[in-house]
Each structure stands twice: as structure tokens, then as C-alpha cells.
Amino acid sequence: MALVALVAPPAAAQQARLVSTEQLAAELDRGDAVLVDVRQSWTSYLQGHLPGAVWLHVESLRTGAGGLPFQLWPAEVYARLFDRLGLAAARPVVVYSAGDQLDVAATFATWILEHLGGRDIRVLDGGYAKWVLEGRPVTQRLPRRATARGGWLSGQAFRPPVASLEDVRRAVAGSGALLVDARPVEQFRGTAGAQPRRGHIPGAVNHPWKDDLETRELALVWKDREALRAGYEAQGITPDRDIILYCNTGTEASHLFFALRNLLGYPRVRIYLGSWTEWAEREELPVEMPAGE
């Protein structure tokens, strides 16, 4: 497991990237890309969405395994789901979220899509909120998309970069891997949280996912690469490290993965899918609280 997690993504996986509202608007008329709306509310989708967008609830991308929630499906399940949505690995796919406080839904979906073999996967910077703020077209019409024969990866070829519980145990014991907690500060400090224990995994550095965003012209968008790099490096989160990301369920960690791997090109970044939900529930595992908390 550790050997698989440390290698680079498979050759078929292409790194997802950002696309601006301006760029997408220019491409929309050509109809090259399939748009995927991952806003959590189906009513929001019915009330208005980008022209041609299909709707996908991000929780359909996860399942339980051995009693542990928020785990991945086998590759074949994803392939069937994406085929039904009319997505094909060889065609461009643009994923957008609400764009205000829920960017993590878009980055989690793209994390699955790119590691299942998507050739051109993009995240809409600023999401639906920025698109609407700029007065760009939305519709209530539902797309008519035929089922695709998508060419997605299957079986052993689907190797998303994940860290196991044992990988995290070894990191706590001093393996050299750097643990990065993507949750809000109050959860990291143990003053908030839904799990049976509060705090964080010993030795972890806290980098809340929202720190990678900023407000520009009333829209919440990604910081430029120079600002992102400076923010991470100031915390000792540098490209030479083996980095394990976690949050509560894996979605917030995907936002940091997108920043570090896709935007900044860090070579060794993994997501611990069990995250704080698994760690906090295992009473034999140590928990750390900041001094004075």
C-alpha cells in the first residue's frame, strides 16, 4: 500500500487545472466540454445552472467500507456512473461548485475524475457564484446527453494517491511524512467538531482549505500561484516533503491536493481518506491539542 501511494499518478491520469469564467464562456458555444454541476442542492440546480451542465451529488462518489464512512467505490462503479452522465475520459470535463463556501465538492470530484483517466479535467474558478455575478447565462433546461462509452480506467489501473491508517501511524512515529490538516482552525484546536474526540493528529500542521482562496471583485476565487506557494512554504509545507493531507472526510483535503499537486506541482501528495473521522473514533490512537486548550 505504501509503495503504491508514493509513486507518481499513472500515466493515463492528467492533472486537473483551473479554468476562468472568461475562458469557459469563450468555449461554451463550441460545445466541446461537458459541464458537471456538483452543488449539493438539487433544487439549486433546477432553479438555474450553466447551459448544458449535468448534475452530480458529490456524496454519490463515496460509500462505506467495513463500517468506515466516506470511502471510495471500485473503479467500475465510477466508470458506470460517469458513463450514465455522458462523460468520456477523452472529452473535456469542467466541474463547478457553488463557488462561495463549497469549492471542496468540485476538487473532490476532479480528484476522482483525473485519477480514473480523465484527459482534460478542469475546475471553474469562482464556480456558479462568480458566473452569475458576472451576468453570464444560466438555464433551467435539462441537457439531453446520451450514455457514453467512456474509456475510464478500471481495476488495478485506478490508483488515486491515498494514505492508509498505517501510513499515518508511521508519520506520527517519525517516518518523515508531513501531516497537513485542512480543517478550520477551531476544529484543529479542538474547540469544535462532530467526532467523539476533538483535537488533531499529533505533529500535524494546520492549513485550512479556505486559506487558498481570496475575494476579488466580490467573488471568492483561488489565490495566484505565487501567493499559494508562499503561504504553504511559510508553514514548512515544501515540495521536498512527503505530504499526507487529511480533514474530516477527505473532501477538504482534496482542495489542498488540488493546490499542492495540480497548481504548484508538488510531487508527493496523498489524501488520508479515513481522516479525522477514523482517527478520532479509534481510542487507542493519540490526539493532540494546542497548549492551553
Side-chain angles (χ1 to χ4, degrees):
M1 180 66 177
L3 290 177
V4 171
L6 283 170
V7 299
Q14 302 297 316
Q15 289 182 13
R17 53 197 173 93
L18 280 177
V19 62
S20 69
T21 50
E22 293 81 7
Q23 291 169 325
L24 181 59
E27 296 176 12
L28 208 54
D29 290 339
R30 296 203 302 266
D32 294 335
V34 180
L35 275 59
V36 181
D37 184 319
V38 292
R39 290 177 294 165
Q40 291 190 356
S41 171
W42 60 267
T43 56
S44 295
Y45 174 78
L46 294 181
Q47 289 165 0
H49 50 267
L50 272 64
V54 297
W55 183 70
L56 171 66
H57 199 294
V58 72
E59 290 306 330
S60 65
L61 300 177
R62 304 194 289 195
T63 185
L68 184 64
F70 316 121
Q71 301 302 293
L72 299 181
W73 289 101
E76 289 73 17
V77 175
Y78 290 123
R80 287 196 299 270
L81 172 60
F82 296 151
D83 284 352
R84 285 171 65 93
L85 289 173
L87 310 184
R91 290 197 62 185
V93 176
V94 177
V95 184
Y96 69 87
S97 64
D100 44 17
Q101 302 298 321
L102 290 171
D103 257 17
V104 297
T107 55
F108 187 76
T110 57
W111 185 70
I112 299 294
L113 285 161
E114 66 175 335
H115 290 98
L116 201 71
R119 310 292 197 276
D120 184 3
I121 311 298
R122 289 175 277 172
V123 172
L124 180 60
D125 194 10
Y128 186 82
K130 188 172 189 292
W131 184 269
V132 172
L133 187 65
E134 295 170 346
R136 302 188 187 276
V138 296
T139 184
Q140 289 184 294
R141 293 184 62 84
L142 300 180
R144 302 293 190 266
R145 296 206 61 83
T147 298
R149 301 182 69 84
W152 300 101
L153 298 179
S154 62
Q156 294 301 311
F158 176 49
R159 297 189 299 166
V162 297
S164 67
L165 175 62
E166 289 308 311
D167 292 329
V168 179
R169 284 181 187 265
R170 285 192 287 270
V172 172
S175 69
L178 176 64
L179 296 169
V180 181
D181 188 323
R183 297 176 301 158
V185 172
E186 61 272 17
Q187 294 183 22
F188 181 80
R189 291 178 175 172
T191 59
Q195 288 83 0
R197 294 190 294 167
R198 294 180 176 182
H200 57 266
I201 299 175
V205 174
N206 185 214
H207 186 96
W209 69 271
K210 291 182 184 178
D211 285 1
D212 290 342
L213 304 175
E214 64 182 5
T215 301
R216 260 185 266 139
E217 298 178 352
L218 303 180
L220 197 62
V221 296
W222 285 83
K223 293 178 179 178
D224 62 48
R225 284 172 170 78
E226 292 74 17
L228 284 173
R229 189 178 301 278
Y232 279 104
E233 290 188 351
Q235 292 184 282
I237 305 170
T238 52
D240 59 307
R241 303 298 300 271
D242 172 24
I243 298 168
I244 298 176
L245 309 170
Y246 77 92
C247 53
N248 285 305
T249 68
T251 50
E252 292 166 313
S254 74
H255 202 269
L256 269 61
F257 183 94
F258 189 86
L260 292 170
R261 184 79 183 97
N262 297 43
L263 299 182
L264 298 180
Y266 280 39
R268 294 186 297 166
V269 187
R270 295 175 281 166
I271 295 177
Y272 167 37
L273 287 174
S275 276
W276 184 247
T277 295
E278 179 179 33
W279 191 272
E281 193 271 338
R282 300 282 292 268
E283 293 184 357
E284 74 277 13
L285 299 175
V287 167
E288 190 169 78
M289 300 272 282
E293 299 291 345

